[in-house]
């Protein structure tokens, strides 16, 4: 049988076919397949029970009928048993496990297997998206790390992913910044650390232009000049964007991020008039005290709390540019899906935005893409309060990543003092940055994330060092046996047999379920948890079963299990944005 990558969908399809043969499908039979408790099997189908209850039939008898109607290939591939009041349990036979492992033998083959409903679709992912002329701080970490993992998961399952950095590069702050820049800019400081200098100039500009002062009028005049295309101010603004992006890119390089586009808010300046016109013409927006607003009468809060899409002074705002952004992504990129990654505080904005976009697109007969707002909780210290430097300042992302590498370097040096300095530095980069990424990704993103150096750098537990070490350990088996880890001798492998081999093989097959769950829910922690469990199953196997034994069939199958563990761990960690190591 041609066993697919995602075994649960095969079981689902086989049960549907059986139900069709029995005439149950048209009466609403649903298989309800899920991953089972390992004590009972690999997958469990609850649908016969649900169906029989509803139809007032004997559930066990009905479940047996469905099992008997399964095609011969499926019957041969699984041990199938009825349990309890009418559950159907499926356990992959050892020979089937071997066939699956034989087929998914490289990162590329895992990827082609994983291609599912996203295949051929275009997804735009808007993440990181910091504001220009400011440094990235610890609050910018989660969007970048979670967003990149989501991009990789979507691409892995077949989507064409467009990474778009929606920079906050427009707004009233640029009046004050230009005001400060023209008076106090220090060329030497600008050359040395441009963003630091821009932050200083903004602060000076802000302090020098208190409310009601003539200086504030001057700063406003700078803003108006910029908005009207004054060449000097436009050139300055452009310079602010350029130096900001260059500084951001240094962080992105360390996190393995490369954007396809940096279409910031300013890009949509000339695209908002159409929004006002269409929202007004379709009757969605109305004037209110000079402003343009959208209400959603069906919504408990947004029926009275307006979505302000144009300010009373006629200026655009965050909502106007985001509406124009949605249209641009749907039309120019032909997006099938749009994902925006920001913290939970923007939940209302995006709920109102998406409600508005759906109604507006429907009214104009535009195709509506799938719209997702991926939110995450705050980063806090171990005391539960916002993470700050000792003197109460915000922690710069650059300083945080430097510290991660320094701490990892100290650990690596203590463990492996004999390794050359350059290699220890390289390991420290992968472990330090990986620890920061993984600690963020391994928790459900909806919760606040407690930042703890000791936890994220621990060599055991659900951490990057533990998983990177698991990878290095499998690699060392091949190295010690002088075998090529990319193509170990696995021909003639027999089917898994010992309890630890079987448990490990089953865990490997579940990679498909973990990828599917993480991608469907846009929640990378499901993949983290899976990788942690896989590493555990590998440890148990390695402790129980010697790999390099004399019996050629046993040796080949154990090498096969080691190799597949290696590629699944590495593929999974790469999907999360981590770099894996040969040794550590
Ligand atoms: N610049 C915004 C911020 O720093 C995030 C932008 C998110 N993307 C968007 N299309 N609104 O909060």
């Amino acid at each position: 049988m041609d066993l697919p990558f995602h075994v649960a969908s095969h079981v689902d399809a086989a049960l549907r076919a059986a139900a069709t043969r029995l005439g149950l499908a048209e009466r609403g039979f649903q298989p309800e397949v899920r991953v089972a408790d390992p004590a009972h099997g690999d997958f469990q189908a609850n649908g016969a029970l649900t169906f029989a209850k509803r139809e007032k039939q004997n559930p066990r008898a009905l479940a047996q009928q469905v099992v008997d109607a399964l095609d011969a290939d499926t019957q041969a591939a699984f041990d199938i048993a009825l349990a309890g009041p009418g559950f159907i349990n499926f356990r992959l036979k050892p020979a089937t496990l071997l066939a699956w492992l034989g087929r998914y033998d490289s990162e590329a083959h895992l990827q082609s297997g994983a291609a599912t409903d996203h295949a051929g679709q275009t997804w735009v992912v808007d993440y990181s998206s910091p504001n220009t002329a400011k440094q990235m701080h610890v609050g910018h970490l989660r969007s970048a790390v979670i967003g990149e993992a989501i991009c990789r998961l979507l691409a892995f399952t077949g989507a064409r992913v467009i990474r778009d950095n929606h920079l906050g590069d427009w707004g009233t702050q640029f009046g004050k910044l230009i005001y400060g820049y023209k008076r106090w800019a220090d060329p030497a400081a600008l050359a040395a650390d441009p963003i630091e200098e821009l932050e200083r100039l903004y602060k000076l500009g802000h302090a020098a232009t208190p409310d009601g002062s003539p200086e504030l009028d001057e700063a406003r005049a700078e803003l108006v000049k910029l908005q009207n295309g004054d060449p000097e101010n436009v050139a300055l603004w452009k310079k602010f964007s350029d130096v900001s992006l260059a500084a951001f890119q240094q962080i992105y390089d360390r996190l393995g991020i490369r954007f396809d586009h940096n279409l910031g808010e300013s890009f949509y300046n000339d695209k908002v008039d159409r929004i006002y016109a269409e929202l007004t013409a379709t009757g969605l927006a109305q004037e209110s005290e000079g402003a343009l607003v959208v209400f959603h009468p069906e919504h408990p809060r947004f029926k009275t709390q307006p979505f302000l899409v144009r300010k009373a002074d006629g200026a655009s705002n965050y909502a106007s540019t985001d509406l124009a952004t949605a249209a641009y992504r749907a039309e120019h990129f032909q997006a099938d899906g749009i994902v925006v990654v920001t913290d939970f505080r923007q939940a209302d904005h995006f709920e109102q935005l998406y409600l508005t976009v759906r109604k507006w697109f429907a009214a104009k007969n535009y195709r509506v893409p799938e719209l997702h707002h991926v939110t995450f909780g705050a980063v806090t210290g171990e005391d539960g309060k916002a993470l700050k430097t000792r003197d109460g300042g915000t922690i710069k992302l650059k300083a945080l990543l430097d510290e991660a590498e320094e701490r990892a370097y100290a650990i690596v040096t203590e463990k492996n003092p004999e390794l050359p300095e350059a290699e220890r530095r390289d390991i420290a980069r992968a472990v330090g940055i990986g620890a920061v990424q993984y600690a963020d990704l391994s928790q459900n993103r909806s919760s606040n994330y407690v930042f703890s150096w000791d936890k994220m750098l621990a060599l055991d537990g659900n951490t990057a060092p533990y998983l990177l070490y698991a990878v290095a350990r499998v690699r060392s088996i091949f190295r010690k046996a002088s075998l090529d880890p990319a193509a170990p001798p696995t021909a003639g492998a027999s089917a898994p047999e010992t309890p630890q081999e079987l448990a490990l093989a089953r865990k490997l097959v579940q990679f498909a379920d973990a990828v599917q769950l993480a991608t469907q829910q846009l929640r990378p922690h499901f993949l983290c948890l899976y990788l942690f469990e896989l590493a555990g199953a590998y440890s148990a196997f390695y402790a129980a079963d010697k790999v390099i034994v004399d019996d050629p069939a046993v040796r080949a199958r154990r090498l096969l299990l080691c190799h597949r563990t290696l590629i699944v761990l590495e593929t999974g960690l790469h999907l999360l944005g981590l770099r894996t190591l040969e040794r550590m």
Side-chain angles (χ1 to χ4, degrees):
M1 181 179 63
D2 211 12
L3 198 64
F5 178 68
H6 195 246
V7 178
S9 4
H10 171 86
V11 173
D12 179 84
L15 286 166
R16 280 181 200 280
T20 304
R21 267 172 235 128
L22 295 169
L24 305 178
E26 67 253 36
R27 277 159 51 210
F29 175 92
Q30 292 293 332
E32 297 182 32
V33 175
R34 51 216 61 184
V35 174
D37 177 337
H40 303 299
D42 293 309
F43 303 99
Q44 159 185 338
N46 301 349
L49 183 61
T50 315
F51 183 82
K53 272 195 185 153
R54 202 180 62 217
E55 301 264 310
K56 309 228 181 323
Q57 293 188 32
N58 176 338
R60 278 191 76 99
L62 183 94
Q64 188 62 54
Q65 253 187 314
V66 173
V67 170
D68 292 341
L70 284 167
D71 63 278
D73 278 350
T74 301
Q75 308 239 20
F78 297 87
D79 289 314
I80 305 173
L82 298 194
F87 302 117
I88 310 172
N89 288 329
F90 293 80
R91 196 189 288 280
L92 285 152
K93 287 188 180 166
T96 320
L97 288 167
L98 181 66
W100 193 96
L101 294 172
R103 178 155 176 194
Y104 299 106
D105 58 353
S106 65
E107 187 154 344
H109 286 162
L110 290 169
Q111 168 152 17
S112 51
T116 48
D117 36 339
H118 292 130
Q121 295 189 349
T122 298
W123 281 66
V124 176
V125 184
D126 166 339
Y127 64 114
S128 185
S129 307
N131 298 333
T132 55
K134 283 191 209 155
Q135 308 225 27
M136 289 174 84
H137 57 78
V138 59
H140 292 108
L141 180 66
R142 303 204 75 184
S143 175
V145 169
I146 294 169
E148 180 60 26
I150 285 176
C151 288
R152 292 180 184 214
L153 283 164
L154 287 168
F156 191 72
T157 52
R160 181 172 84 95
V161 174
I162 297 177
R163 291 163 162 85
D164 186 14
N165 195 5
H166 190 82
L167 299 168
D169 61 355
W170 201 249
T172 49
Q173 71 272 28
F174 288 100
K176 290 179 181 176
L177 177 55
I178 293 175
Y179 181 94
Y181 188 96
K182 286 188 175 168
R183 283 162 185 77
W184 302 295
D186 171 354
L190 266 176
D193 191 338
I195 302 218
E196 190 106 22
E197 175 64 358
L198 292 182
E199 284 184 337
R200 186 183 74 91
L201 293 171
Y202 174 77
K203 275 187 206 136
L204 287 176
H206 181 69
T209 57
D211 278 350
S213 65
E215 287 80 7
L216 182 62
D217 292 335
E218 280 185 65
R220 287 214 176 107
E222 297 290 7
L223 181 67
V224 172
K225 274 164 74 184
L226 171 65
Q227 288 166 338
N228 293 337
D230 168 72
E232 189 190 359
N233 281 10
V234 169
L236 278 181
W237 170 83
K238 176 95 178 58
K239 179 184 170 123
F240 302 156
S241 287
D242 291 346
V243 299
S244 304
L245 259 180
F248 298 157
Q249 192 54 48
Q250 290 179 3
I251 303 267
Y252 297 146
D253 285 345
R254 297 171 80 177
L255 295 172
I257 296 175
R258 221 156 238 300
F259 284 100
D260 301 302
H261 300 281
N262 295 290
L263 300 176
E265 291 173 21
S266 67
F267 178 76
Y268 298 97
N269 274 340
D270 61 356
K271 299 176 180 59
V272 290
D273 285 341
R274 164 195 168 194
I275 309 301
Y276 309 142
E278 292 193 10
L279 289 185
T280 309
T282 51
L284 284 166
Q286 61 197 70
E287 297 258 352
S288 166
E289 292 160 34
L292 196 63
V293 298
V294 177
F295 288 100
H296 295 287
E298 76 287 4
H299 192 280
R301 270 179 302 128
F302 306 144
K303 65 179 175 205
T304 47
Q305 182 185 320
F307 190 43
L308 182 69
V309 302
R310 191 187 61 210
K311 295 197 274 188
D313 63 5
S316 62
N317 65 1
Y318 196 50
S320 356
T321 48
D322 261 343
L323 286 160
T325 304
Y328 188 78
R329 289 174 178 162
E331 290 164 5
H332 180 80
F333 292 128
Q334 293 284 307
D336 297 288
I338 297 173
V339 177
V340 182
V341 187
T342 80
D343 78 27
F344 65 96
R345 287 173 301 181
Q346 299 196 28
D348 272 7
H349 168 76
F350 279 96
E351 203 182 335
Q352 287 174 300
L353 175 72
Y354 289 165
L355 280 171
T356 309
V357 167
R358 286 196 184 96
K359 291 179 190 172
W360 160 35
F361 280 22
K364 300 291 288 181
N365 261 323
Y366 302 151
R367 196 171 61 103
V368 187
E370 258 187 64
L371 302 169
H372 296 272
H373 181 215
V374 164
T375 60
F376 49 81
V379 183
T380 74
E382 287 173 86
D383 56 1
K385 297 201 192 108
L387 197 65
K388 291 265 152 90
T389 57
R390 280 218 182 88
D391 51 16
T394 50
I395 299 180
K396 312 248 152 76
L397 202 41
K398 179 178 179 307
L400 184 111
L401 297 181
D402 289 346
E403 181 166 355
E405 289 184 12
E406 277 314 313
R407 285 177 182 260
Y409 180 75
I411 296 173
V412 174
T413 301
E414 196 191 308
K415 288 241 174 324
N416 298 305
E418 75 290 352
L419 286 181
E421 155 89 16
E423 185 170 355
R424 275 181 284 137
R425 286 275 168 211
D426 184 58
I427 294 173
R429 266 195 298 280
V431 172
I433 304 290
V436 170
Q437 293 169 304
Y438 192 87
D440 191 325
L441 293 168
S442 57
Q443 309 202 28
N444 190 331
R445 58 176 168 74
S446 301
S447 326
N448 281 353
Y449 155 48
V450 181
F451 193 95
S452 158
W453 287 118
D454 290 341
K455 277 204 193 111
M456 74 176 72
L457 285 164
L459 270 166
D460 44 37
N462 188 7
T463 66
Y466 172 73
L467 289 170
L468 292 172
Y469 185 64
V471 168
R473 224 162 43 133
V474 189
R475 286 196 169 270
S476 79
I477 291 171
F478 293 112
R479 196 166 43 241
K480 284 192 190 126
S482 303
L483 296 171
D484 177 5
T490 56
S494 49
E497 208 174 291
T498 71
Q500 289 78 13
E501 289 172 343
L502 284 164
L504 176 58
R506 294 183 193 294
K507 239 321 144 247
L508 286 164
V509 173
Q510 281 170 20
F511 177 60
D513 302 296
V515 167
Q516 189 189 52
L517 193 61
T519 312
Q520 271 174 359
Q521 303 209 5
L522 303 174
R523 290 185 190 275
H525 76 280
F526 288 118
L527 179 57
C528 296
L529 181 62
Y530 166 78
L531 293 174
F532 175 58
E533 289 174 358
L534 173 63
Y538 178 77
S539 281
F541 154 76
Y542 189 72
D545 297 323
K546 194 166 182 303
V547 175
I548 307 297
V549 291
D550 290 337
D551 183 328
V554 176
R555 177 187 154 114
R557 80 170 184 242
R558 292 188 179 162
L559 283 170
L560 180 100
L561 285 167
C562 291
H563 176 257
R564 300 311 192 255
T565 303
L566 180 62
I567 60 168
V568 170
L569 281 176
E570 289 198 327
T571 303
L573 290 167
H574 297 160
L575 282 172
L576 297 169
L578 274 72
R579 180 161 68 89
T580 50
L581 293 161
E582 301 273 322
R583 16 177 215 179
M584 78 178 255

Short mmCIF file of all heavy atoms in Angstrom, two decimals, residues 132-133 174 177 181 185-187 190-191 194-195 197-198 201 232-246:
data_model
loop_
_atom_site.label_atom_id
_atom_site.label_comp_id
_atom_site.label_asym_id
_atom_site.label_seq_id
_atom_site.Cartn_x
_atom_site.Cartn_y
_atom_site.Cartn_z
N THR A 132 10.31 52.62 12.75
CA THR A 132 11.66 53.06 12.37
C THR A 132 12.14 54.16 13.32
O THR A 132 11.36 54.73 14.08
CB THR A 132 11.69 53.58 10.93
OG1 THR A 132 10.71 54.61 10.78
CG2 THR A 132 11.40 52.47 9.94
N ALA A 133 13.44 54.42 13.23
CA ALA A 133 14.12 55.44 14.04
C ALA A 133 14.15 55.08 15.52
O ALA A 133 14.41 55.93 16.37
CB ALA A 133 13.51 56.83 13.84
N PHE A 174 7.62 62.05 13.20
CA PHE A 174 8.70 62.48 12.31
C PHE A 174 8.85 64.00 12.28
O PHE A 174 9.93 64.50 11.96
CB PHE A 174 8.52 61.88 10.91
CG PHE A 174 8.81 60.40 10.91
CD1 PHE A 174 7.77 59.47 10.96
CD2 PHE A 174 10.11 59.94 10.93
CE1 PHE A 174 8.04 58.12 11.01
CE2 PHE A 174 10.39 58.59 10.99
CZ PHE A 174 9.35 57.67 11.02
N LEU A 177 11.17 64.59 15.19
CA LEU A 177 12.50 64.05 14.90
C LEU A 177 13.25 64.96 13.93
O LEU A 177 14.44 65.29 14.14
CB LEU A 177 12.37 62.62 14.33
CG LEU A 177 13.67 61.94 13.91
CD1 LEU A 177 14.68 61.90 15.06
CD2 LEU A 177 13.40 60.51 13.43
N TYR A 181 16.65 66.83 14.60
CA TYR A 181 17.77 66.51 13.72
C TYR A 181 18.39 67.78 13.16
O TYR A 181 19.62 67.94 13.14
CB TYR A 181 17.25 65.63 12.57
CG TYR A 181 18.36 65.08 11.69
CD1 TYR A 181 18.88 63.81 11.90
CD2 TYR A 181 18.88 65.84 10.64
CE1 TYR A 181 19.88 63.31 11.10
CE2 TYR A 181 19.89 65.35 9.84
CZ TYR A 181 20.39 64.08 10.07
OH TYR A 181 21.40 63.59 9.29
N ALA A 185 21.86 67.34 15.36
CA ALA A 185 22.46 66.10 14.86
C ALA A 185 23.98 66.13 14.99
O ALA A 185 24.62 67.14 14.69
CB ALA A 185 22.06 65.88 13.41
N ASP A 186 24.53 65.02 15.45
CA ASP A 186 25.99 64.89 15.63
C ASP A 186 26.50 63.89 14.60
O ASP A 186 26.24 62.68 14.75
CB ASP A 186 26.24 64.42 17.07
CG ASP A 186 27.69 64.04 17.32
OD1 ASP A 186 28.49 64.03 16.35
OD2 ASP A 186 28.02 63.74 18.49
N PRO A 187 27.19 64.37 13.56
CA PRO A 187 27.59 63.48 12.46
C PRO A 187 28.38 62.25 12.93
O PRO A 187 28.18 61.16 12.42
CB PRO A 187 28.43 64.37 11.55
CG PRO A 187 28.10 65.77 11.92
CD PRO A 187 27.65 65.75 13.34
N LEU A 190 26.08 59.81 14.48
CA LEU A 190 25.23 59.22 13.44
C LEU A 190 25.96 58.12 12.69
O LEU A 190 25.37 57.10 12.33
CB LEU A 190 24.82 60.29 12.43
CG LEU A 190 23.48 60.97 12.69
CD1 LEU A 190 23.27 62.05 11.66
CD2 LEU A 190 22.34 59.96 12.63
N ALA A 191 27.26 58.34 12.47
CA ALA A 191 28.03 57.33 11.76
C ALA A 191 28.24 56.12 12.65
O ALA A 191 28.19 54.97 12.19
CB ALA A 191 29.36 57.92 11.31
N PRO A 194 23.70 54.96 14.35
CA PRO A 194 22.68 55.88 13.87
C PRO A 194 21.37 55.82 14.65
O PRO A 194 20.79 56.88 14.96
CB PRO A 194 22.47 55.46 12.41
CG PRO A 194 23.24 54.21 12.19
CD PRO A 194 24.22 54.07 13.31
N ILE A 195 20.90 54.62 15.01
CA ILE A 195 19.60 54.59 15.67
C ILE A 195 19.66 55.20 17.05
O ILE A 195 18.76 55.92 17.47
CB ILE A 195 19.05 53.15 15.75
CG1 ILE A 195 18.94 52.57 14.37
CG2 ILE A 195 17.71 53.14 16.45
CD1 ILE A 195 17.75 51.73 14.14
N GLU A 197 21.51 57.59 17.91
CA GLU A 197 21.52 59.04 17.71
C GLU A 197 20.12 59.55 17.35
O GLU A 197 19.68 60.58 17.85
CB GLU A 197 22.55 59.39 16.63
CG GLU A 197 22.59 60.86 16.21
CD GLU A 197 23.03 61.83 17.31
OE1 GLU A 197 23.28 61.38 18.45
OE2 GLU A 197 23.08 63.05 17.04
N LEU A 198 19.39 58.80 16.52
CA LEU A 198 18.03 59.24 16.16
C LEU A 198 17.13 59.24 17.39
O LEU A 198 16.30 60.12 17.57
CB LEU A 198 17.44 58.34 15.07
CG LEU A 198 18.11 58.42 13.69
CD1 LEU A 198 17.39 57.51 12.69
CD2 LEU A 198 18.13 59.86 13.17
N LEU A 201 17.90 62.33 19.27
CA LEU A 201 17.38 63.52 18.60
C LEU A 201 15.87 63.63 18.75
O LEU A 201 15.33 64.70 18.93
CB LEU A 201 17.78 63.52 17.12
CG LEU A 201 19.29 63.67 16.90
CD1 LEU A 201 19.64 63.43 15.43
CD2 LEU A 201 19.77 65.04 17.36
N GLU A 232 14.04 68.18 0.97
CA GLU A 232 14.98 68.04 2.08
C GLU A 232 14.41 67.09 3.15
O GLU A 232 15.10 66.19 3.63
CB GLU A 232 15.26 69.42 2.69
CG GLU A 232 16.40 69.37 3.71
CD GLU A 232 16.55 70.66 4.52
OE1 GLU A 232 15.77 71.61 4.28
OE2 GLU A 232 17.44 70.68 5.38
N ASN A 233 13.16 67.32 3.54
CA ASN A 233 12.58 66.49 4.60
C ASN A 233 12.34 65.06 4.13
O ASN A 233 12.50 64.11 4.90
CB ASN A 233 11.29 67.13 5.11
CG ASN A 233 11.60 68.27 6.07
OD1 ASN A 233 12.75 68.67 6.18
ND2 ASN A 233 10.58 68.79 6.74
N VAL A 234 11.98 64.91 2.87
CA VAL A 234 11.79 63.55 2.35
C VAL A 234 13.13 62.80 2.38
O VAL A 234 13.19 61.62 2.75
CB VAL A 234 11.18 63.58 0.94
CG1 VAL A 234 11.23 62.19 0.30
CG2 VAL A 234 9.75 64.09 0.98
N ALA A 235 14.21 63.51 2.02
CA ALA A 235 15.52 62.87 2.02
C ALA A 235 15.91 62.46 3.44
O ALA A 235 16.46 61.37 3.67
CB ALA A 235 16.58 63.81 1.43
N LEU A 236 15.60 63.32 4.41
CA LEU A 236 15.92 62.98 5.81
C LEU A 236 15.12 61.75 6.24
O LEU A 236 15.66 60.80 6.82
CB LEU A 236 15.56 64.15 6.73
CG LEU A 236 16.59 65.27 6.84
CD1 LEU A 236 16.08 66.33 7.81
CD2 LEU A 236 17.93 64.72 7.31
N TRP A 237 13.83 61.80 5.95
CA TRP A 237 12.95 60.68 6.34
C TRP A 237 13.45 59.37 5.73
O TRP A 237 13.48 58.32 6.36
CB TRP A 237 11.52 60.99 5.89
CG TRP A 237 10.61 59.83 6.01
CD1 TRP A 237 9.95 59.42 7.12
CD2 TRP A 237 10.27 58.91 4.97
NE1 TRP A 237 9.22 58.28 6.85
CE2 TRP A 237 9.41 57.96 5.53
CE3 TRP A 237 10.62 58.79 3.62
CZ2 TRP A 237 8.88 56.90 4.79
CZ3 TRP A 237 10.10 57.75 2.88
CH2 TRP A 237 9.24 56.82 3.47
N LYS A 238 13.87 59.46 4.46
CA LYS A 238 14.37 58.28 3.75
C LYS A 238 15.62 57.75 4.45
O LYS A 238 15.80 56.54 4.60
CB LYS A 238 14.67 58.70 2.31
CG LYS A 238 15.28 57.67 1.42
CD LYS A 238 14.20 56.95 0.62
CE LYS A 238 14.77 55.92 -0.34
NZ LYS A 238 15.59 54.88 0.29
N LYS A 239 16.46 58.69 4.89
CA LYS A 239 17.68 58.30 5.57
C LYS A 239 17.34 57.59 6.89
O LYS A 239 17.96 56.58 7.24
CB LYS A 239 18.50 59.56 5.84
CG LYS A 239 19.80 59.36 6.56
CD LYS A 239 20.43 60.73 6.82
CE LYS A 239 21.62 60.60 7.75
NZ LYS A 239 22.84 61.13 7.15
N PHE A 240 16.32 58.10 7.62
CA PHE A 240 15.91 57.45 8.87
C PHE A 240 15.49 56.00 8.60
O PHE A 240 15.84 55.09 9.35
CB PHE A 240 14.73 58.19 9.52
CG PHE A 240 14.98 59.64 9.85
CD1 PHE A 240 13.92 60.53 9.96
CD2 PHE A 240 16.27 60.11 10.05
CE1 PHE A 240 14.14 61.87 10.27
CE2 PHE A 240 16.51 61.45 10.35
CZ PHE A 240 15.43 62.33 10.45
N SER A 241 14.73 55.80 7.52
CA SER A 241 14.27 54.45 7.19
C SER A 241 15.45 53.56 6.83
O SER A 241 15.54 52.41 7.28
CB SER A 241 13.33 54.47 6.00
OG SER A 241 12.09 55.01 6.38
N ASP A 242 16.36 54.09 6.03
CA ASP A 242 17.48 53.27 5.58
C ASP A 242 18.36 52.81 6.74
O ASP A 242 18.72 51.64 6.84
CB ASP A 242 18.32 54.02 4.55
CG ASP A 242 17.58 54.20 3.23
OD1 ASP A 242 16.54 53.52 3.04
OD2 ASP A 242 18.01 55.03 2.39
N VAL A 243 18.72 53.76 7.62
CA VAL A 243 19.60 53.34 8.71
C VAL A 243 18.86 52.42 9.67
O VAL A 243 19.45 51.49 10.23
CB VAL A 243 20.21 54.54 9.49
CG1 VAL A 243 21.06 55.40 8.57
CG2 VAL A 243 19.15 55.36 10.19
N SER A 244 17.55 52.61 9.82
CA SER A 244 16.79 51.72 10.70
C SER A 244 16.79 50.30 10.15
O SER A 244 17.08 49.34 10.86
CB SER A 244 15.34 52.20 10.83
OG SER A 244 15.30 53.52 11.28
N LEU A 245 16.49 50.21 8.86
CA LEU A 245 16.44 48.88 8.24
C LEU A 245 17.78 48.17 8.32
O LEU A 245 17.85 46.96 8.58
CB LEU A 245 16.03 49.00 6.78
CG LEU A 245 14.57 48.68 6.51
CD1 LEU A 245 14.27 48.83 5.03
CD2 LEU A 245 14.24 47.25 6.96
N ALA A 246 18.86 48.92 8.12
CA ALA A 246 20.19 48.30 8.20
C ALA A 246 20.42 47.75 9.61
O ALA A 246 20.95 46.65 9.78
CB ALA A 246 21.26 49.31 7.82
#
